[in-house]
Amino acid sequence: MQYVRFLAILLLMVCNGIRANTVAKEGMPIIAYFGVPDWQTTEENFRVFSECGFTVSLYPHYPNIDLLRKACRYAEKHSVQVLGKCPEMVSSPAYAVNILKQEKGFFGYFIQDEPNAPDIRKREKEIVAIRRYDNEHPCYINLHPYYHKEWVEPTLKVKTYEEYLKVASAASCQQISFDFYPVTTAGIRPTWYHNLEMIRKESLKSGKPFWGFVLSMPHDVPFTPNTYYPTPTIAAMRLQIYSNLAYGAQAIQYFTYWTPSNEEGFNFHDAPISRDGKKTKTYAVVQQMNKELSVVSRLFYGAKVTSVRHLGGALPEGTSRQNTMPVNLKQLKVVSAKGAIISLLNKEGKQYMAIVNKDPQRAMTVLIEKKNDTPRHVTKELKEEAMKQRYVVPAGDVLLFMLK
């Protein structure tokens, strides 16, 4: 009897180990840019990181491969992974890659953040060298946003943002990642949705999924007097995350988890973890958001977004208005000054609709009427239920339906 009990315990331990090794690879990646930093590489810090709801800790400055491996092993113990960079990845790619790809807590290879077009072409040699030995783990480049047209040529070294995206998608990275922080004290940046439109178009054209960002750390906006990124609220985070998902994002990244040192006048402060390693008030907000996201993202992860349109309010630059009625609906109306995103997506043989409230401060009313008994409301716990004719959508939030 004791022998049987021992075997049962051993089997349970093995199964738990398997789950711990694979859980970070299942579902949509929830990535923290500037996750657990090199000088804070402890098992305890990875435990706290995991409890915040992240699945990947991104840190680009490991001083050597040994410390990166150590971080991967601590991460694995808490069912998360590390996306990182160490000097050996460039100086000795065969050596570094053949070591790192064996680590179950390793997610991928950091290449560069916000390169211009010539920089992307230069980094291609590094990516090719890595992929010669490992085609499974992603190589990561994160792109500049499209804040305004006049900024493109001097910064990105190309004439248009679309050309910049073509250069990026031609590189050997497996995804297109970009950051854009739309919520400022001066209001929503006007080019945000245009940026999402261009990213989505290049993603569809190249066949590479795109990854989006959400801001989780207040800081100043350099070169823009009297404007700053405010302390993130759950509504502002929802707006950014659900807008990205509505456009087809296949990973959500936060900037940042650990508060970095202040450089170039950004005045970084109050990320989920302070510079000295303590939880801030932002930690609980991000933890709440990630708990919600870990469930809702299952609908969007692996789905094919077939249409993204805007309804109500002024039409943002570069976008299209929802002028046709989605399948099996008789009426769809939003009561909101800012309007909504209407995203149609296919997943596992069903067609869904996501409606995102574009206002990070006020609730929105949705009036909806079905043609037949097929459409169903989908809760944020992904449970189907009977559809009502009126819904109130909180600030920045999403409303989901199964249409067909």
Side-chain angles (χ1 to χ4, degrees), residues 66-190:
D66 292 334
L67 191 55
L68 177 50
R69 287 179 76 193
K70 187 177 183 180
C72 290
R73 292 179 181 183
Y74 286 149
E76 180 192 345
K77 287 184 177 182
H78 294 282
S79 303
V80 297
Q81 293 178 301
V82 175
L83 197 169
K85 185 170 188 175
C86 61
E88 292 88 344
M89 283 167 46
V90 178
S91 62
S92 307
Y95 165 74
V97 172
N98 283 316
I99 287 176
L100 292 172
K101 71 180 183 181
Q102 304 299 326
E103 296 292 337
K104 293 175 181 176
F106 181 66
F107 181 85
Y109 307 90
F110 182 96
I111 305 298
Q112 188 174 347
D113 181 45
E114 295 189 335
N116 58 32
D119 284 339
I120 294 173
R121 295 187 181 102
K122 289 176 186 175
R123 298 288 86 78
E124 177 67 5
K125 290 182 180 178
E126 294 177 23
I127 301 168
V128 169
I130 288 170
R131 296 197 66 181
R132 187 176 295 130
Y133 305 100
D134 183 1
N135 241 343
E136 180 183 349
H137 296 87
C139 292
Y140 177 92
I141 284 177
N142 181 56
L143 303 178
H144 278 286
Y146 176 69
Y147 279 157
H148 52 83
K149 188 185 299 183
E150 296 74 23
W151 176 80
V152 170
E153 192 165 358
T155 305
L156 307 183
K157 311 302 180 187
V158 287
K159 293 190 180 298
T160 67
Y161 191 78
E162 289 92 339
E163 185 182 346
Y164 176 61
L165 293 181
K166 286 179 183 177
V167 173
S169 67
S172 299
C173 290
Q174 294 97 317
Q175 69 290 320
I176 301 170
S177 172
F178 85 113
D179 57 6
F180 193 118
Y181 309 119
V183 181
T184 76
T185 52
I188 302 296
R189 288 183 180 272

Side-chain angles (χ1 to χ4, degrees), residues 362-381:
R362 297 173 186 83
M364 171 182 74
T365 299
V366 173
L367 304 175
I368 188 168
E369 189 176 349
K370 59 187 181 178
K371 280 185 178 179
N372 50 49
D373 291 333
T374 302
R376 304 272 289 171
H377 174 232
V378 180
T379 70
K380 287 165 78 173
E381 291 74 38

Side-chain angles (χ1 to χ4, degrees), residues 3-278:
Y3 178 69
V4 172
R5 186 178 298 168
F6 170 76
L7 286 178
I9 293 171
L10 182 62
L11 181 61
L12 181 62
M13 291 171 64
V14 170
C15 290
N16 283 339
I18 291 171
R19 281 198 293 271
N21 293 341
T22 59
V23 67
K25 296 181 182 180
E26 296 172 356
M28 182 174 289
I30 304 176
I31 303 169
Y33 195 104
F34 211 83
V36 179
D38 61 338
W39 73 91
Q40 293 285 350
T41 302
T42 66
E43 184 177 345
E44 173 62 12
N45 281 335
F46 275 99
R47 181 189 66 78
V48 174
F49 177 83
S50 175
E51 288 177 353
C52 198
F54 292 103
T55 65
V56 179
S57 172
L58 187 160
Y59 186 74
H61 305 300
Y62 285 96
N64 56 67
I65 194 170
D66 292 334
L67 191 55
L68 177 50
R69 287 179 76 193
K70 187 177 183 180
C72 290
R73 292 179 181 183
Y74 286 149
E76 180 192 345
K77 287 184 177 182
H78 294 282
S79 303
V80 297
Q81 293 178 301
V82 175
L83 197 169
K85 185 170 188 175
C86 61
E88 292 88 344
M89 283 167 46
V90 178
S91 62
S92 307
Y95 165 74
V97 172
N98 283 316
I99 287 176
L100 292 172
K101 71 180 183 181
Q102 304 299 326
E103 296 292 337
K104 293 175 181 176
F106 181 66
F107 181 85
Y109 307 90
F110 182 96
I111 305 298
Q112 188 174 347
D113 181 45
E114 295 189 335
N116 58 32
D119 284 339
I120 294 173
R121 295 187 181 102
K122 289 176 186 175
R123 298 288 86 78
E124 177 67 5
K125 290 182 180 178
E126 294 177 23
I127 301 168
V128 169
I130 288 170
R131 296 197 66 181
R132 187 176 295 130
Y133 305 100
D134 183 1
N135 241 343
E136 180 183 349
H137 296 87
C139 292
Y140 177 92
I141 284 177
N142 181 56
L143 303 178
H144 278 286
Y146 176 69
Y147 279 157
H148 52 83
K149 188 185 299 183
E150 296 74 23
W151 176 80
V152 170
E153 192 165 358
T155 305
L156 307 183
K157 311 302 180 187
V158 287
K159 293 190 180 298
T160 67
Y161 191 78
E162 289 92 339
E163 185 182 346
Y164 176 61
L165 293 181
K166 286 179 183 177
V167 173
S169 67
S172 299
C173 290
Q174 294 97 317
Q175 69 290 320
I176 301 170
S177 172
F178 85 113
D179 57 6
F180 193 118
Y181 309 119
V183 181
T184 76
T185 52
I188 302 296
R189 288 183 180 272
T191 56
W192 183 31
Y193 296 110
H194 193 185
N195 202 161
L196 279 166
E197 293 278 347
M198 290 187 283
I199 289 286
R200 169 172 156 74
K201 185 176 179 180
E202 189 59 40
S203 174
L204 291 172
K205 198 182 298 183
S206 66
K208 296 183 177 184
F210 83 85
W211 296 358
F213 262 86
V214 54
L215 187 62
S216 53
M217 176 178 60
H219 61 280
D220 295 346
V221 182
F223 317 117
T224 310
N226 304 317
T227 301
Y228 59 92
Y229 296 111
T231 299
T233 63
I234 194 73
M237 287 184 177
R238 281 174 172 157
L239 173 65
Q240 294 169 77
I241 287 171
Y242 291 132
S243 295
N244 274 293
L245 294 181
Y247 270 86
Q250 293 297 290
I252 294 296
Q253 308 170 81
Y254 285 74
F255 183 82
T256 63
Y257 172 71
W258 207 282
T259 304
S261 58
N262 281 314
E263 297 174 2
E264 303 174 8
F266 284 100
N267 187 28
F268 295 130
H269 61 98
D270 289 308
I273 300 294
S274 66
R275 271 193 290 277
D276 59 359
K278 294 183 173 64

Side-chain angles (χ1 to χ4, degrees), residues 375-379 383-388 391:
R376 304 272 289 171
H377 174 232
V378 180
T379 70
K383 296 176 181 177
E384 292 184 11
E385 61 182 25
M387 180 188 286
K388 299 185 294 186
Y391 292 89

